[in-house]
Amino acid sequence: MIRSFRAFPAAALSLFVLLAGCGAPPATEPKPAQGAAPAASAPVQGGTFTYALAGSPSGLDPNVVPGAADYRVMRSLYDSLVVQLPDKSIKPWLAEEWTVSPDGRTYTFKLRKDVTFHDGTPFNAAAVKYNFDRIVNPATKSRFAITLIGPYESSEVIDDYTVKVNLKSPYSAFLSSLGQAFLGIVSPAAAEKYKDQLVKNPVGTGPFKFVSWTENAAITLERNPAYQWAPALAENKGAPYLEKLVFKIIPEEATRIGSVQSAQVSAAETVPPQNLISLKSDPNVQLLQAEATGIPYTLMLNQDHAPWNELDARKAVQLAIDFDAIVKTLYLGTYPRAWSPLTPSVAGYNKELEGAVKPDLDKANALLDGLGWVRGADGIREKNGKKLTIHYVDGSPNREKRNDIAAMIQQQLKKAGIAVEVEITSDTSTALMVKGTNDLAGVSNVSGDPDILRSFFHTNAIPNANKWGHNHTHKSDPQLDAWLEEGLKEQDPAKREEVYKKVQKYVIDHAYGFPVYVFPYTVAAGKNVSGFKFDSLGYPLFYDVSLKGS
Amino acid sequence: MAGAVIQRLLSSLLVIAGASFLVFFILYLLPGDPVLMMLAGTTFTPEAAANLRHQLGLDQSALQQFLRFAGGLLQGDFGKSLVSDDPVLPKILSQFPATAALTLAGTLIAVVFGIWLGVLSAVHRGGIIDLAARLVSLLGISMPTFWSGILLILIFSVQLNWFPALGSDGWRTLVLPAAALGLVGSGFIVRMVRNSMLEVMNEPFITTLRAKGLPERLVMYRHALRSALIPALTIIGIQIGELLAGAVVIETVFSRQGIGRLLAGAITAKDLPVVQGVIFFTAMVYVAVNLLVDLSYTLIDPRVRRTQ
């Protein structure tokens, strides 16, 4: 029993002392380099690199999972047949060379002979065939790789290190897709052993091997000492410099950034705009940035609902929104404005669209007047007793301040007499894909090939209650379909780029979608980190990383 | 006394049954289709969706689904995660120790600071100390935990580098989150202890003790506080529930493991079985804690023992 209550102040005081005084510096604090600075040409071996992820990966089986967080971990575990360099050229990786049949439907890959999976089994033609067949097998429940592999038909093992891949139709984005980690090669032996639990027991041929996954806390990888088959993207050619690579899951922004500043993690992803400015002046931190490649954040206007099936109505919305003001206000000049439904680094990006559309409220008003929408007493336009309203659907939580974009557009469109009802929901998929109640909805996507436009503007991508799709314009446009299919089949890169330039211009000219910003994937890293890179999709690469003075 | 304990146990069971009912139906009535969530990002046929719906038993009536759910709970089967296909209960059990450690440490801080400040505040009623103690308690109650958590990180982790800001390995990672949690809890306890101390101090037996010439210190800390502790104990029981709930935010801010983090993740992913499992599990822990608190009255206060 509690006898003397005088003990309380004393206990409290000692607790306070405990709270205040006993912290030894954390083990991860960088020690100053000993003696002379190491020569720049010789990266330091060893050390543990901790990378703070903003969200938890859902799994690590590339054939199945679709997420960006998944990708960031998987890239170190799995190698691909080919690699795409930032200049868009495709270079060898696990495949040493390849030939494409004149009809564009057959790809023959000659594979490296010196590659082994982390479980000791050899990488060969049978492994490649196993992977591709596994992706298209419905039992695998692939959620993204199946899209990337496109019109895949079958694979044939020609000899141990030669594999022939047959496609149902020409697919010009095939090699670029093969370079993504989602088409990275898993060990067939491991896939057989773990089946659907490969997501928690990944085995590949990559520079790092999987060690452990503590849910909601960390994923630990260790160096693969046998690694000798690095892609042309990397400078290192042998085993990675780092001993260990640890991914920590830190969803809270302030904690994530604070952890880099206090050197509790080596680097953290997705620095919010308000922190960018202060971090730039932090002597202990370096900022590294890559454009998220593919579809920038773009607002799509649903043409299923009148009056948005009319060009003049869509144009009025396009002209009444001042996107420059929105992007500058919300991102403090740290995010670039987007002009095209493709980001600048994708092949075929149409640079002519930059600055092509300028806000013009008078013209927007004139267009709506012309359509017979007359302002009512509350300033909102009406026609046949119906108010001019846009139903704007956006997701929760407020990712990249997208909810604030909605709020600003609401204010701006009011000036043109358009009412905007904003629906913020954590279940956007039902609102967009099933019910299709949206007039305006924003999307973005990561991809290295302009063929990604097909997933957002082709008739086959229009969603309904039974079909998933990302064509939120709900417009079946024969002209766009024709170009998108032409781009898919065209083998000549220059001609292909021209096709996609036409698509981008068409989307802007006809006000199908309004590009807003290009997301700069920003990493804050300690000053002792060197060799940190991004791949051509803007995902981080850890293979070349080394830590000074660790 | 045995009768009272049995009565208390039975009412606890009733609460748990009610909790399972509520947990099931609140989530059942929420908008959003778990089947569509699972199929997100794939091209699927209506037949495939119907198939999956049937496999999950989602095509049955609400009552059938509830009975299946409640029957599973009785057998310790909390269902399987829609996202990872793992059974839910082992997931919760593996995350619970981290939450238990956090809640216990938070409670300890809340109780120690709460009682100490509450007594000081009552003893020095109207003075500077009283004012300061009440201010601290008000701050504790009104500051959102995510904010005080981030503040603690900025001061003690980023600036001073005394404690790690994140993770859940070792006692050093426990200090800041437990302090953030304890701050909120202590606020309520300060007010409760202060009020009941003030009441007790007006009781005749205190006057008697003072008249006997007992030193004021002994009167306050040995006799008054003991009587004032009973209502505070009730508050502490309720507080543990509050702190369990607060763990959702704290665990996210400090990137700790735990069932709060599990819940937050499951809600975002619309992983209903996990959400149901965590809420039901938390309800059980809450009921158990309050049962223990109720029973402990009889140990602390002889009067309660006699009236039973």
Side-chain angles (χ1 to χ4, degrees):
Chain A
M1 279 307 303
I2 305 162
R3 280 276 158 209
S4 166
F5 292 104
R6 265 169 295 182
F8 269 118
L13 196 69
S14 58
L15 209 93
F16 211 177
V17 171
L18 200 75
L19 263 168
C22 62
T28 47
E29 194 178 49
K31 295 171 204 112
Q34 288 162 352
S41 55
V44 180
Q45 295 279 341
T48 298
F49 183 83
T50 43
Y51 190 67
L53 291 173
S56 175
S58 61
L60 297 174
D61 181 343
N63 295 349
V64 178
V65 297
D70 308 327
Y71 195 109
R72 283 168 196 141
V73 179
M74 286 192 307
R75 185 72 286 177
S76 296
L77 291 166
Y78 299 103
D79 295 329
S80 296
L81 289 187
V82 300
V83 61
Q84 183 163 32
L85 300 186
D87 67 0
K88 308 301 159 205
S89 64
I90 307 280
K91 293 279 187 259
W93 195 347
L94 293 182
E96 282 181 315
E97 54 184 278
W98 55 90
T99 52
V100 187
S101 68
D103 66 357
R105 286 182 47 207
T106 308
Y107 287 69
T108 308
F109 296 94
K110 291 260 177 210
L111 307 176
R112 287 184 74 120
K113 298 179 174 137
D114 56 346
V115 178
T116 44
F117 288 105
H118 301 149
D119 58 6
T121 57
F123 164 80
N124 52 30
V128 174
K129 175 178 164 55
Y130 180 91
N131 269 261
F132 292 171
D133 289 348
R134 181 171 182 256
I135 290 168
V136 294
N137 182 352
T140 309
K141 294 187 191 140
S142 172
R143 287 153 70 193
F144 188 56
I146 189 147
T147 312
L148 281 181
I149 207 164
Y152 174 81
E153 188 173 67
S154 63
S155 297
E156 297 164 47
V157 175
I158 305 295
D159 62 48
D160 271 3
Y161 297 100
T162 311
V163 63
K164 199 161 111 183
V165 178
N166 303 307
L167 303 177
K168 290 178 196 136
S169 55
Y171 175 34
S172 54
F174 188 50
L175 286 175
S176 156
S177 301
L178 280 180
Q180 290 205 26
F182 293 118
L183 294 183
I185 306 295
V186 311
S187 155
E192 282 298 309
K193 183 174 162 195
Y194 296 113
K195 304 260 187 311
D196 61 351
Q197 285 305 306
L198 192 69
V199 286
K200 287 282 161 73
N201 300 279
V203 180
T205 63
F208 290 91
K209 296 197 259 191
F210 177 77
V211 178
S212 66
W213 185 339
T214 321
E215 199 164 350
N216 283 334
I219 296 171
T220 304
L221 315 183
E222 65 179 14
R223 125 191 308 145
N224 174 6
Y227 197 73
Q228 294 291 338
W229 40 89
L233 198 55
E235 278 154 35
N236 186 3
K237 292 298 163 215
Y241 308 123
L242 298 169
E243 191 58 46
K244 266 190 180 164
L245 174 57
V246 179
F247 295 89
K248 292 213 172 197
I249 298 130
I250 309 181
E252 176 53 45
E253 273 173 4
T255 316
R256 201 163 64 243
I257 306 309
S259 304
V260 183
Q261 291 180 295
S262 58
Q264 293 168 40
V265 299
S266 315
E269 69 170 4
T270 327
V271 180
Q274 70 270 21
N275 288 83
L276 277 176
I277 291 155
S278 72
L279 281 177
K280 268 181 192 150
S281 57
D282 188 324
N284 301 317
V285 174
Q286 50 179 325
L287 287 173
L288 307 149
Q289 221 168 44
E291 165 198 309
T293 310
I295 307 280
Y297 185 64
T298 306
L299 299 170
M300 302 289 185
L301 195 48
N302 184 351
Q303 301 180 35
D304 253 1
H305 304 164
W308 314 118
N309 50 351
E310 291 179 84
L311 176 60
D312 278 357
R314 296 197 302 275
K315 271 275 167 200
V317 175
Q318 189 180 40
L319 293 169
I321 303 175
D322 186 350
F323 289 104
D324 268 335
I326 292 174
V327 174
K328 271 187 198 131
T329 310
L330 292 180
Y331 307 108
L332 311 165
T334 59
Y335 285 23
R337 160 86 200 267
W339 294 100
S340 149
L342 281 184
T343 64
S345 62
V346 182
Y349 171 70
N350 193 340
K351 207 171 160 46
E352 285 167 22
L353 293 173
E354 291 179 9
V357 179
K358 292 197 171 63
D360 188 338
L361 193 57
D362 294 339
K363 200 170 165 204
N365 276 317
L367 285 170
L368 292 172
D369 290 342
L371 287 171
W373 290 91
V374 185
R375 278 184 198 264
D378 56 355
I380 300 302
R381 291 170 185 275
E382 292 173 20
K383 187 172 160 184
N384 305 328
K386 195 174 155 271
K387 286 197 183 291
L388 185 56
T389 311
I390 282 186
H391 186 73
Y392 189 133
V393 176
D394 195 24
S396 160
N398 188 4
R399 174 182 168 192
E400 292 150 25
K401 298 183 189 281
R402 290 177 179 184
N403 296 171
D404 305 87
I405 295 179
M408 288 185 77
I409 286 181
Q410 190 172 38
Q411 290 304 315
Q412 294 182 351
L413 286 184
K414 204 173 167 186
K415 289 181 196 150
I418 305 172
V420 179
E421 290 169 357
V422 182
E423 180 192 353
I424 308 283
T425 167
S426 61
D427 188 18
T428 43
S429 46
T430 306
L432 297 181
M433 308 278 198
V434 183
K435 295 187 186 146
T437 52
N438 54 299
D439 292 321
L440 261 189
V443 288
S444 61
N445 200 281
V446 177
S447 170
D449 195 276
D451 178 47
I452 187 66
L453 287 168
R454 199 161 45 94
S455 306
F456 289 84
F457 296 104
H458 194 279
T459 301
N460 287 344
I462 298 176
N464 61 45
N466 295 315
K467 187 165 160 286
W468 211 261
H470 276 292
N471 185 349
H472 300 297
T473 71
H474 289 256
K475 172 73 177 178
S476 175
D477 190 318
Q479 177 64 75
L480 280 179
D481 285 358
W483 278 332
L484 290 166
E485 282 157 32
E486 191 185 337
L488 187 64
K489 291 178 181 135
E490 180 58 61
Q491 300 288 316
D492 178 346
K495 282 188 194 157
R496 207 171 161 241
E497 289 193 11
E498 286 313 310
V499 173
Y500 288 115
K501 280 185 180 160
K502 284 189 278 188
V503 173
Q504 295 161 64
K505 186 163 166 30
Y506 189 92
V507 165
I508 301 299
D509 286 352
H510 293 80
Y512 278 23
F514 316 128
V516 188
Y517 65 84
V518 180
F519 177 63
Y521 179 71
T522 310
V523 171
K527 274 277 158 67
N528 62 331
V529 173
S530 62
F532 190 99
K533 286 205 185 73
F534 298 96
D535 71 5
S536 62
L537 294 178
Y539 287 116
L541 287 173
F542 304 102
Y543 175 56
D544 279 343
V545 171
S546 66
L547 295 169
K548 273 179 240 129
S550 58
Chain B
M1 185 180 156
V5 172
I6 289 169
Q7 208 183 352
R8 201 59 194 77
L9 279 172
L10 285 177
S11 70
S12 297
L13 282 179
L14 210 66
V15 171
I16 289 176
S20 72
F21 188 79
L22 275 179
V23 161
F24 178 82
F25 278 97
I26 288 173
L27 290 172
Y28 179 81
L29 294 172
L30 270 184
D33 183 344
V35 169
L36 290 177
M37 287 301 292
M38 290 174 77
L39 293 171
T42 64
T43 40
F44 59 90
T45 58
E47 293 82 50
N51 240 335
L52 189 61
R53 203 175 299 279
H54 181 70
Q55 275 175 28
L56 295 167
L58 294 172
D59 52 352
Q60 293 173 330
S61 74
L63 187 68
Q64 276 173 311
Q65 287 189 48
F66 173 68
L67 289 178
R68 214 165 44 100
F69 170 70
L73 291 183
L74 282 178
Q75 297 162 28
D77 175 11
F78 281 45
K80 276 183 166 185
S81 157
L82 296 182
V83 174
S84 64
D85 218 28
D86 297 334
V88 172
L89 189 57
K91 243 181 174 20
I92 295 175
L93 291 178
S94 73
Q95 299 283 313
F96 183 63
T99 304
L102 173 64
T103 312
L104 282 178
T107 308
L108 190 75
I109 291 176
V111 168
V112 170
F113 271 100
I115 293 180
W116 177 48
L117 280 181
V119 171
L120 270 185
S121 175
V123 171
H124 302 275
R125 184 184 183 179
I128 289 279
I129 294 180
D130 184 22
L131 195 74
R134 284 162 69 189
L135 199 71
V136 168
S137 99
L138 191 70
L139 272 177
I141 294 167
S142 49
M143 264 198 304
T145 33
F146 75 85
W147 192 75
S148 49
I150 288 172
L151 209 64
L152 287 175
I153 289 175
L154 287 179
I155 297 171
F156 292 100
S157 189
V158 176
Q159 285 298 323
L160 299 172
N161 218 340
W162 286 352
F163 295 102
L166 55 119
S168 36
D169 21 51
W171 67 271
R172 298 187 65 249
T173 63
L174 197 59
V175 175
L176 293 184
L181 211 51
L183 197 62
V184 184
S186 67
F188 286 100
I189 295 173
V190 169
R191 307 194 132 201
M192 199 66 212
V193 170
R194 180 179 185 273
N195 287 349
S196 46
M197 273 293 280
L198 288 177
E199 248 171 63
V200 172
M201 278 157 67
N202 290 328
E203 299 253 341
F205 80 94
I206 297 290
T207 323
T208 314
L209 290 172
R210 280 187 179 141
K212 273 171 64 184
L214 204 66
E216 185 67 15
R217 249 185 178 324
L218 280 184
V219 175
M220 286 299 152
Y221 290 102
R222 180 165 293 176
H223 297 276
L225 178 57
R226 185 163 179 166
S227 297
L229 218 53
I230 289 278
L233 205 63
T234 313
I235 282 289
I236 291 166
I238 296 169
Q239 276 303 308
I240 291 179
E242 292 276 320
L243 296 191
L244 265 177
V248 177
V249 174
I250 288 292
E251 282 168 4
T252 307
V253 169
F254 288 90
S255 299
R256 291 179 58 80
Q257 283 191 284
I259 56 172
R261 186 88 180 281
L262 189 65
L263 179 66
I267 290 172
T268 344
K270 268 243 152 65
D271 196 344
L272 293 190
V274 175
V275 176
Q276 284 170 327
V278 174
I279 296 180
F280 182 70
F281 184 86
T282 314
M284 285 207 301
V285 172
Y286 185 57
V287 167
V289 166
N290 278 285
L291 187 65
L292 287 178
V293 168
D294 282 2
L295 296 178
S296 71
Y297 292 158
T298 54
L299 295 177
I300 292 185
D301 191 340
R303 287 173 303 179
V304 178
R305 210 161 23 206
R306 271 196 297 277
T307 51
Q308 283 171 355

